[in-house]
Amino acid sequence: MSTAPGGRADRSQARRAKITVRAAEESGLSAVLALHGELNPDDPPLPPASAAAVWAAMPAQQGRTVPVAVVGEAVAGTADCIVVPNLTRGGRAVLFAENLVVAAACRRRGVGRRLTDAVVRLGEAAGCYKVQLPAADDAYVHTFYFCEACGLTGRAAGFRRSLARPE
């Protein structure tokens, strides 16, 4: 039986497949970019040379990790994590996780929960006092993040200012 990506056969396979979370590999850029395309579909694609340069620079940043959730053989989710040193809370750092996304075909299968658990473990291993996970103002996203199974609570309000792109 052949089904287009994201179809019923894909979802059924995702339901049965083992979910593993690991650090992204150097060769994983295209999978991460595809997931980011689902996260921000209105963003223009990053030129390949620019994407490769950013991807190459990320592992060199102290405290930076890009975990990926793998279902079967496919990258099904990702996040971008960075541990930031801190002068409060006894000098304990903060882990910021940005761009957490799960492929549409793999949602509601435990992928997001496993990825979130891995992000929290990264923060614990780094001695952080908290994990901060900003979320889009979207009811579906908030339902996921606020679920008890993920162990996250909506406790912070924040402010944001988007900056113009340099010409």
Side-chain angles (χ1 to χ4, degrees):
M1 177 164 104
S2 175
T3 303
R8 187 182 335 208
D10 276 359
R11 286 191 201 98
S12 177
Q13 182 180 12
R15 202 175 292 123
R16 292 187 306 267
K18 180 181 177 188
I19 302 165
T20 58
V21 179
R22 60 170 170 75
E25 298 170 350
E26 187 176 329
S27 62
L29 174 59
S30 62
V32 170
L33 287 175
L35 287 166
H36 286 182
E38 287 191 39
L39 180 65
N40 297 304
D42 296 333
D43 280 1
L46 198 56
S50 297
V54 170
W55 189 246
M58 290 168 70
Q61 295 174 333
Q62 186 175 350
R64 187 86 178 258
T65 306
V66 179
V68 292
V70 180
V71 176
E73 301 291 321
V75 173
T78 189
D80 187 358
C81 303
I82 189 158
V83 174
V84 178
N86 182 28
L87 289 172
T88 66
R89 304 293 182 165
R92 293 176 66 199
V94 178
L95 184 140
F96 288 96
E98 181 69 51
N99 300 325
L100 190 144
V101 61
V102 172
C106 296
R107 292 182 186 148
R108 310 225 24 106
R109 308 289 181 252
V111 174
R113 183 176 309 149
R114 291 287 304 274
L115 191 55
T116 302
D117 289 346
V119 167
V120 170
R121 284 193 309 275
L122 284 170
E124 290 170 341
C128 295
Y129 85 94
K130 73 176 177 180
V131 171
Q132 189 79 21
L133 191 80
D137 193 18
D138 178 305
Y140 172 79
V141 171
H142 287 221
T143 299
F144 168 73
Y145 286 140
F146 296 158
C147 79
E148 285 184 24
C150 292
L152 301 173
T153 58
R155 297 183 59 190
F159 301 93
R160 169 185 329 185
R161 180 175 178 175
S162 296
L163 303 176
R165 289 185 185 193
E167 296 296 322

